[in-house]
Amino acid sequence: MKKTAAQLLVDLLQSHGVDLVFGYPGGAILPFYDALHQSGVRHILVRHEQGAIHMAEAYARVTGRPGVVVVTSGPGATNIVTGLADAKMDSIPVFAICGQVALSSIGSDAFQEADMTGISHPVTKYAALLRSADEVAIRFAEAWHLCISGRPGPVVLDFPKDVQNEMTAIVHAEPDLPERFMRKQGIAGDVQALAIAFNRAQRPLLLVGGGAINSQASSEVQAVALKTGSAVSTTLMGLGTFPANHPLYLGMPGMHGTACANKAIMECDFLLSLGMRFDDRIAGQARNFAPQAVRAHVDIDSSEFNKRVIVDHYIQGDLKEVLQELIPWLDHKELPDWAAMIEQGKRESPLEYAESEEVIKPQGVLKRLYHKTGGQSIVATDVGQHQMWAAQYYHFDRPNRWL
């Protein structure tokens, strides 16, 4: 049975569990919107396309499923580029569908024409121009697979208006990607050697990033810390992976982190970095980072290894699977001297601010919000000082609550 390319794309989204999209309509994407209107998929209408893609990012962060954004051609599409770059940097699965001028008009500087495929290539995992209705099924399959597999990230389908109205009988296809993208990623590296080095440690520290949330590895991270007596510090992206009120928790590292977390990094003898990328806000002086430690790194993306901080051990693979393999090799031990150092560091250098009866202190507002909500709210921030106050004073005890 034939159907329009627009209808097919809506059907494919629904077959993959999509029941909510974020978008802003325009002329070049109207055939897709007509099909969407008939589908029962809920549509969140925004006031600006950048809002749509940031909403899609938030949806993906909270649910773990791809956030879908729909925009029109030209300025509608280019308005989501910042969100695509953000999702690429933070490994957020976002699926973008962009209207495009008719195929016959591409390259003629037609009204609201922009080369969205070319523009988005540097900030996506995959971008494709749909040149015929018969391409829709296979390009969708490739884009969806890459969006959610390996290190998640954003993808773009550029959808010319005339192609949206074309009919096709090809309603299903398997991805036609290089074999390395299709096989399930295993674990590469010597887990046993990593465990031996870990078991020698007397002052171990886990540095946990957003990869732990993407791989749903919070319980494994906690199991490693409790079994080995490791202190835990989470990056801005990793907040909520480890309970903020636990005695082993140090807060964030780096320039906006806590003194005790940074002191522990300088004094630890074993540093295990999990799903994080050593950005310059954490490891400003990369050569002097954790100078006393045997350094190890686990990440799904091998390009992160030794990019800024040189490590002694690295394991590539899904973080949850790597930790599940690692845990049986780890010795159960208590480290009272290390625990005492952690407690002393938190006691001597707490996050603090000057209380006032004259003005409202933002730190106090965040502390009050935490207590009023019991730490159960989803917290969304912009970027800047208020974001740092929220990260520092609203304590996250669960993953997928911090946007």
Side-chain angles (χ1 to χ4, degrees):
M1 174 181 161
K2 288 190 174 184
K3 56 182 69 176
T4 67
Q7 182 63 61
L8 173 58
L9 187 52
V10 171
D11 291 348
L12 289 168
L13 289 169
Q14 287 188 288
S15 71
H16 286 72
V18 174
D19 56 9
L20 176 67
V21 302
F22 306 88
Y24 193 89
I29 195 66
L30 285 183
F32 180 84
Y33 263 96
D34 288 340
L36 191 69
H37 179 65
Q38 303 297 323
S39 70
V41 173
R42 186 182 175 202
H43 177 268
I44 303 297
L45 177 65
V46 300
R47 297 298 177 264
H48 189 280
E49 291 86 359
Q50 190 175 82
I53 194 161
H54 288 321
M55 289 180 188
E57 284 188 277
Y59 175 89
R61 288 180 192 250
V62 172
T63 66
R65 297 187 290 167
V68 179
V69 60
V70 184
V71 296
T72 192
S73 65
T78 57
N79 279 343
I80 69 170
V81 171
T82 295
L84 292 173
D86 189 53
K88 181 70 155 51
M89 291 294 292
D90 286 347
S91 307
I92 306 300
V94 170
F95 197 102
I97 299 165
C98 304
Q100 181 57 278
V101 300
L103 278 175
S104 59
S105 297
I106 290 178
S108 68
D109 293 329
F111 176 68
Q112 292 194 340
E113 179 193 357
D115 179 12
M116 191 56 188
T117 309
I119 290 168
S120 61
H121 263 303
V123 292
T124 59
K125 290 185 70 179
Y126 179 93
L129 175 67
L130 301 176
R131 295 183 175 276
S132 73
D134 289 346
E135 281 189 9
V136 171
I138 189 168
R139 299 294 171 244
F140 173 86
E142 291 170 351
W144 190 270
H145 177 80
L146 290 172
C147 184
I148 63 174
S149 65
R151 183 175 182 172
V155 298
V156 165
L157 291 181
D158 205 12
F159 206 1
K161 186 174 183 179
D162 54 344
V163 175
Q164 294 173 48
N165 284 318
E166 285 182 9
M167 303 295 291
T168 181
I170 303 173
V171 297
H172 176 77
E174 295 298 322
D176 184 18
L177 295 167
E179 195 266 337
R180 68 181 185 277
F181 293 117
M182 296 305 300
R183 64 175 178 264
K184 187 179 186 307
Q185 185 170 338
I187 297 173
D190 194 334
V191 175
Q192 188 175 0
L194 173 62
I196 291 170
F198 201 160
N199 289 334
R200 294 193 187 110
Q202 295 301 303
R203 301 186 306 279
L205 172 64
L206 306 183
L207 188 52
V208 186
I213 292 176
N214 287 343
S215 66
Q216 300 179 356
S218 179
S219 60
E220 286 78 12
V221 169
Q222 293 177 40
V224 170
L226 296 179
K227 187 174 185 180
T228 61
S230 296
V232 180
S233 178
T234 56
T235 69
L236 189 69
M237 290 293 295
L239 289 173
T241 308
F242 194 83
N245 292 315
H246 195 280
L248 291 172
Y249 185 65
L250 300 168
M252 290 193 303
M255 68 188 321
H256 296 294
T258 62
C260 58
N262 288 317
K263 189 169 186 289
I265 288 171
M266 296 302 290
E267 295 182 350
C268 68
D269 63 358
F270 182 84
L271 178 76
L272 178 56
S273 302
L274 302 172
M276 54 82 65
R277 55 188 173 87
F278 291 113
D279 69 63
D280 59 347
R281 300 302 172 102
I282 290 173
Q285 295 183 346
R287 278 187 280 184
N288 296 324
F289 192 78
Q292 302 182 46
V294 173
R295 295 184 291 257
H297 193 179
V298 178
D299 204 281
I300 200 166
D301 184 356
S302 61
S303 70
E304 294 298 338
F305 300 141
N306 296 328
K307 188 166 73 175
R308 296 195 73 247
V309 172
I310 305 302
V311 299
D312 303 288
H313 302 269
Y314 52 85
I315 308 290
Q316 182 185 6
D318 178 82
L319 185 56
K320 189 180 187 74
E321 294 177 3
V322 172
L323 293 183
Q324 287 174 344
E325 184 167 324
L326 175 66
I327 288 170
W329 292 99
L330 296 176
D331 294 341
H332 189 283
K333 57 187 174 183
E334 296 180 4
L335 302 170
D337 292 343
W338 184 226
M341 289 176 64
I342 294 166
E343 178 56 34
Q344 181 181 354
K346 291 198 287 187
R347 187 174 60 251
E348 292 179 350
S349 303
L351 284 171
E352 56 186 356
Y353 59 97
E355 297 278 5
S356 174
E357 296 295 329
E358 308 297 325
V359 297
I360 295 172
K361 289 298 183 82
Q363 301 95 321
V365 171
L366 270 302
K367 287 180 71 174
R368 188 75 62 87
L369 280 172
Y370 171 73
H371 290 297
K372 286 285 188 182
T373 62
Q376 297 304 304
S377 291
I378 294 172
V379 178
T381 75
D382 196 351
V383 173
Q385 188 61 63
H386 74 278
Q387 182 193 53
M388 294 301 112
W389 283 322
Q392 292 164 348
Y393 290 94
Y394 193 100
H395 294 170
F396 294 90
D397 297 320
R398 298 167 58 193
N400 305 107
R401 290 292 183 268
W402 168 245
L403 310 179

